Amino acid sequence: MGRRKSQSQPATGDGQSLNQHQQQPTKVRFKDDGEEGEEDGGGGGQEDATASSNLDEVMCDPDESTTVADMTVDASASASEAHDSFPDDGDDHQTSADYYFDSYSHFGTVLEMLKDIVRTKTYQNVIYKNKFLFKNKVVLDVGAGTGILSLFCAKAGAQHVYAIECSQMADTAKKIVESNGFSNVITVLKGKVEEIDLPVAKVDIIISEWMGYFLLFENMLNTVLYARDKWLVNDGVVLPDKASLYLTAIEDAEYKEDKIEFWNNVYGFDMSCIKKQAMMEPLVDTVDQNQLVTQCQLLKTMDISKMGPGDASFTAPFKLVAERDDYIHALVAYFDVSFTKCHKLTGFSTGPRSRATHWKQTVLYLEDVLTICEGEALVGSMTVAPNKKNPRDVDIKVKYSLNGRRCSVSGIQYYKMR
């Protein structure tokens, strides 16, 4: 999984949605209740959290001009196709499993997540502004890290919080809990969720920041679902409880030429075999909203309180309608999350038109350069599934076609996030 060198996108506050030129019957908008730039955790003991998330932006609305009939995928076949659609990895044994848990004990990783104001302030607001959910409740924090969410819950009046962390950061979390005087409320448990024995039979709330790049990278979602099925009471709450994956298309000639096409001629030598590998690695980067060529398309919405583990494997159709005459070099995926059990609907988006997060966006470069005219549609489907050898990696298959006035092309490409 590639990354560009740091090219931070400034926060935008124009309040536009990706489908700003469309008239939609329903839009979900979140109001930003704080000023950008407020330091995380500022105000010491203040109960009212502000500057949460990128709530001045809209979660992207899908293109509703596409009818259901145009886009229906057989649900019973979707998961099966997702698992059977990818070629075998052969002798490639390198995966993210070898360093997954250790990576979360690195303070640089923890710092990046804590300083992501969109992420951390949203969770803080969800907890502090909805104390009725947490008061005298037993909470399970899955993948607790430093224990910041557990601390929020304890401060909001939780009866007890069980914080499960598998990495070495669990030892640090215990010290943090102690230092802040919450040892009688927060119990840090070191180990895998699947191997932990909780001191209680059931919990009232499960809270977790499980989302990875492309929403599903690292597959922590299945761990949350395991905890839900084992410990959550029947009328319990999962936070967040909704997550949606979106797709759009961009013009990105300069970067593709510099980093992908470069391998065609390296000081007079053909190294295009490396180009093929580079094309298969999705790029995690911040996309400038001015690069967007098409409307966005909702691919999948997941209800974390009800879905099964297999629902994270799917095939979804897309229809991306061009908003101007341009070229398409890549597809871009991003996600939104929602906390629908709050007094007021709360959430954040990782889309290109929203305030930047550490998740950025996921860019999938196409082998073809597509010439598209305004109003024309790039259509196809995306298949997503955990890698067979290492479920924390994600395999992606994209089928696409464009039949336009100046370009007629179709193709299939495979990607692997690792």
Side-chain angles (χ1 to χ4, degrees):
M1 180 176 60
R3 286 179 183 261
R4 294 186 191 177
K5 289 187 179 178
S6 109
Q7 289 181 337
S8 298
Q9 176 186 357
T12 59
D14 56 8
Q16 296 173 327
S17 70
L18 277 179
N19 290 338
Q20 58 185 323
H21 300 301
Q22 292 180 275
Q23 292 185 354
Q24 300 291 350
T26 305
K27 289 181 182 289
V28 178
R29 293 183 180 271
F30 299 118
K31 183 179 179 183
D32 192 351
D33 47 10
E35 293 298 324
E36 182 180 340
E38 179 183 342
E39 293 185 13
D40 187 20
Q46 290 180 2
E47 294 294 305
D48 185 25
T50 58
S52 73
S53 81
N54 48 4
L55 305 188
D56 56 334
E57 290 293 343
V58 63
M59 287 191 177
C60 181
D61 301 303
D63 175 14
E64 295 184 359
S65 63
T66 306
T67 65
V68 174
D70 290 336
M71 299 178 54
T72 300
V73 172
D74 183 58
S76 61
S78 179
S80 175
E81 180 183 348
H83 281 287
D84 297 336
S85 293
F86 302 100
D88 187 78
D89 289 333
D91 296 328
D92 183 5
H93 301 296
Q94 184 181 3
T95 72
S96 62
D98 298 327
Y99 57 83
Y100 171 68
F101 290 115
D102 280 344
S103 70
Y104 284 92
S105 62
H106 296 165
F107 291 101
T109 303
V110 173
L111 181 66
E112 180 184 30
M113 292 190 292
L114 287 175
K115 293 188 77 171
D116 183 341
I117 292 179
V118 172
R119 165 196 181 268
T120 309
K121 283 290 189 180
T122 298
Y123 276 90
Q124 187 183 39
N125 273 350
V126 164
I127 297 166
Y128 285 2
K129 295 187 175 184
N130 296 276
K131 292 181 180 180
F132 70 93
L133 288 175
F134 296 89
K135 189 170 180 59
N136 298 323
K137 296 297 176 63
V138 178
V139 180
L140 176 61
D141 182 358
V142 176
T146 60
I148 185 66
L149 301 187
S150 297
L151 291 166
F152 290 158
C153 292
K155 192 173 178 181
Q159 176 185 317
H160 204 89
V161 183
Y162 295 97
I164 302 180
E165 174 57 41
C166 192
S167 76
Q168 299 300 320
M169 188 57 67
D171 300 325
T172 304
K174 289 179 183 178
K175 296 177 183 177
I176 292 171
V177 168
E178 227 172 86
S179 299
N180 286 275
F182 285 107
S183 296
N184 60 327
V185 181
I186 301 172
T187 300
V188 179
L189 302 168
K190 186 176 182 181
K192 294 182 179 179
V193 168
E194 296 81 0
E195 299 171 1
I196 287 282
D197 289 323
L198 279 186
V200 293
K202 293 292 179 180
V203 300
D204 301 299
I205 298 172
I206 292 177
I207 192 165
S208 179
E209 191 274 84
W210 56 266
M211 299 79 70
Y213 299 127
F214 190 71
L215 183 61
L216 296 171
F217 181 60
E218 294 173 345
N219 198 31
M220 189 177 164
L221 174 58
N222 277 358
T223 300
V224 175
L225 299 182
Y226 177 91
R228 179 201 67 187
D229 294 342
K230 185 172 183 178
W231 291 303
L232 190 65
V233 297
N234 288 335
D235 57 347
V237 175
V238 181
L239 298 171
D241 59 324
K242 295 286 177 64
S244 298
L245 186 66
Y246 292 89
L247 191 69
T248 187
I250 62 168
E251 181 281 327
D252 203 14
E254 183 178 354
Y255 183 86
K256 189 181 180 189
E257 180 66 31
D258 185 43
K259 301 298 183 182
I260 304 293
E261 304 301 337
F262 167 81
W263 299 107
N264 290 330
N265 185 338
V266 183
Y267 299 100
F269 296 98
D270 182 355
M271 296 189 183
S272 56
C273 58
I274 296 178
K275 172 185 172 181
K276 294 175 183 177
Q277 293 301 312
M279 291 285 292
M280 289 185 68
E281 287 192 12
L283 175 76
V284 174
D285 195 15
T286 300
V287 171
D288 189 319
Q289 61 178 313
N290 294 322
Q291 294 177 260
L292 299 175
V293 176
T294 70
Q295 298 166 346
C296 70
Q297 174 73 60
L298 173 65
L299 290 177
K300 178 80 170 178
T301 294
M302 300 178 188
D303 186 338
I304 317 305
S305 61
K306 298 177 182 178
M307 67 180 290
D311 294 341
S313 300
F314 61 89
T315 296
F318 62 80
K319 181 179 179 181
L320 305 178
V321 179
E323 296 185 319
R324 64 173 186 259
D325 293 354
D326 212 327
Y327 301 96
I328 292 175
H329 299 90
L331 302 178
V332 174
Y334 62 94
F335 64 88
D336 298 344
V337 294
S338 302
F339 300 78
T340 70
K341 304 300 182 183
C342 297
H343 178 63
K344 292 179 67 175
L345 181 61
T346 307
F348 62 82
S349 173
T350 64
R353 291 192 186 276
S354 298
R355 189 171 172 182
T357 72
H358 79 280
W359 287 286
K360 304 179 182 179
Q361 292 88 42
T362 301
V363 184
L364 302 96
Y365 285 99
L366 301 174
E367 291 179 0
D368 301 304
V369 176
L370 311 182
T371 305
I372 195 167
C373 299
E374 183 177 356
E376 294 178 349
L378 175 63
V379 298
S381 65
M382 177 176 282
T383 299
V384 178
N387 181 261
K388 294 175 183 177
K389 291 185 177 178
N390 177 31
R392 295 198 180 279
D393 295 342
V394 179
D395 290 336
I396 304 166
K397 175 184 176 182
V398 174
K399 293 182 180 179
Y400 64 91
S401 65
L402 171 64
N403 292 304
R405 298 193 299 275
R406 297 172 183 170
C407 182
S408 182
V409 65
S410 62
I412 299 176
Q413 284 188 232
Y414 295 90
Y415 306 87
K416 183 176 179 181
M417 296 196 72
R418 62 179 177 181

